[in-house]
């Protein structure tokens, strides 16, 4: 496919469980972003990669959240010891440009429910 | 702190009429503004953007207006079509960094 692909589409986790969310950006896109979208809210910035370098992780809500993009393509967002407040849709976006203020291409998101 | 605000959670208009979606921002450093459209179970898709050096940008049925002094932008859709029914997010960035989103406005266009 030509778009940003995220998996799984839905994830149900028990409180305290670790989860890993995957993002396949559009091929060749330099920039990759993770956003968290709570119900009824807009996307909230979590972290930003330019190729394999994580240039901004200021939006990660706690040290339980960790993201990586080791080869500058696929990215994984990991949440350790999930809590109920982590329940949200996690959106991945990519951009062909080396900045995070331009047009973004979003995936369909992973809906995480923590019980 | 909500730097981008969409104060109307929903808007309903008749097919063929104009839809006006509003957005306010607080950060005077924002210099690039975007509108995204989101259908259920899909990610947001880019619709239209405007740089702070302009006050209007038009693309077909969609026009974005920027009023820097009021820190306000709006999206006009004319004429509105049922397929325009979606959630619309306003977004802003400063010098290519930190794109911030509003909470969204759900537009319903009635046939």
């Amino acid at each position: 496919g030509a778009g940003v692909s995220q998996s799984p589409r839905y994830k149900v986790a028990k409180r305290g469980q670790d989860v890993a969310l995957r993002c396949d950006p559009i091929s060749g896109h330099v920039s990759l972003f993770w956003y968290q979208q709570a119900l009824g809210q807009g996307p909230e910035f979590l972290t930003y990669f330019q190729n394999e370098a994580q240039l901004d992780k200021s939006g990660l809500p706690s040290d339980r959240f960790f993201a990586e993009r080791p080869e500058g393509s696929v990215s994984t967002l990991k949440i350790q010891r999930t809590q109920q407040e982590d329940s949200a849709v996690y959106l991945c976006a990519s951009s062909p440009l080396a900045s995070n203020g331009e047009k973004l291409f979003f995936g369909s998101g992973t809906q995480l429910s923590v019980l | 702190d909500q730097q981008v605000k969409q104060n109307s959670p929903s808007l309903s208009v008749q097919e063929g009429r104009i839809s006006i979606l509003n957005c306010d921002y607080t950060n005077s450093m924002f210099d690039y503004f975007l509108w995204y459209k989101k259908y259920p179970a899909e990610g947001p898709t880019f619709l239209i953007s405007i740089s702070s050096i302009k006050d209007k940008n038009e693309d077909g049925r969609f026009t974005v207006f920027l009023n820097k002094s009021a820190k306000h932008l709006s999206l006009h859709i004319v004429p509105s079509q049922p397929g325009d029914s979606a959630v619309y997010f306003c977004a802003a960035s400063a010098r290519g960094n930190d794109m911030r989103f509003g909470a969204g406005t759900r537009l319903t266009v009635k046939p």
Side-chain angles (χ1 to χ4, degrees):
Chain A
V4 177
S5 177
Q6 291 187 246
S7 62
R9 184 72 183 89
Y10 302 95
K11 177 68 179 178
V12 178
K14 291 183 179 178
R15 190 161 58 97
Q17 187 178 351
D18 297 349
V19 298
L21 313 180
R22 178 188 168 103
C23 174
D24 281 273
I26 294 173
S27 178
H29 275 197
V30 170
S31 298
L32 184 145
F33 311 84
W34 284 98
Y35 284 83
Q36 180 190 59
Q37 186 178 12
L39 191 64
Q41 300 297 314
E44 294 279 347
F45 171 79
L46 292 177
T47 186
Y48 159 58
F49 290 86
Q50 190 178 114
N51 296 308
E52 69 279 4
Q54 190 175 20
L55 298 188
D56 188 346
K57 54 181 181 180
S58 61
L60 296 176
S62 77
D63 58 8
R64 297 186 294 104
F65 287 71
F66 173 77
E68 60 183 4
R69 194 187 184 196
E71 297 178 359
S73 178
V74 171
S75 177
T76 304
L77 176 66
K78 298 179 180 177
I79 309 173
Q80 297 177 323
R81 304 181 304 280
T82 52
Q83 304 295 315
Q84 283 188 319
E85 62 262 28
D86 300 335
S87 296
V89 175
Y90 290 84
L91 294 165
C92 176
S94 69
S95 168
L97 303 172
S99 75
N100 62 7
E102 305 290 335
K103 180 173 74 172
L104 303 181
F105 296 82
F106 281 88
S108 296
T110 294
Q111 184 168 332
L112 173 65
S113 299
V114 182
L115 306 178
Chain B
D1 64 337
Q2 265 208 305
Q3 298 187 39
V4 179
K5 298 178 184 179
Q6 294 177 258
N7 292 320
S8 297
S10 63
L11 174 67
S12 181
V13 301
Q14 208 67 36
E15 181 179 6
R17 307 295 288 267
I18 184 171
S19 295
I20 300 176
L21 295 97
N22 294 302
C23 177
D24 296 292
Y25 61 95
T26 57
N27 189 341
S28 58
M29 301 301 292
F30 286 146
D31 58 5
Y32 193 64
F33 304 88
L34 310 92
W35 285 93
Y36 285 83
K37 177 179 179 180
K38 184 183 183 304
Y39 291 118
E42 295 182 11
T45 55
F46 171 79
L47 186 59
I48 192 169
S49 63
I50 187 168
S51 164
S52 62
I53 62 173
K54 294 185 172 181
D55 55 18
K56 177 182 174 181
N57 188 26
E58 190 172 352
D59 183 3
R61 296 185 298 113
F62 302 91
T63 303
V64 55
F65 295 92
L66 176 62
N67 182 336
K68 288 187 290 294
S69 61
K71 294 192 179 67
H72 177 83
L73 68 156
S74 60
L75 174 68
H76 292 210
I77 306 174
V78 182
S80 301
Q81 299 174 353
D84 296 330
S85 297
V87 177
Y88 289 79
F89 291 102
C90 172
S93 68
R95 292 172 296 190
N97 292 306
D98 290 338
M99 187 177 297
R100 303 290 178 128
F101 286 80
T105 296
R106 181 178 300 278
L107 173 65
T108 303
V109 180
K110 297 180 178 179

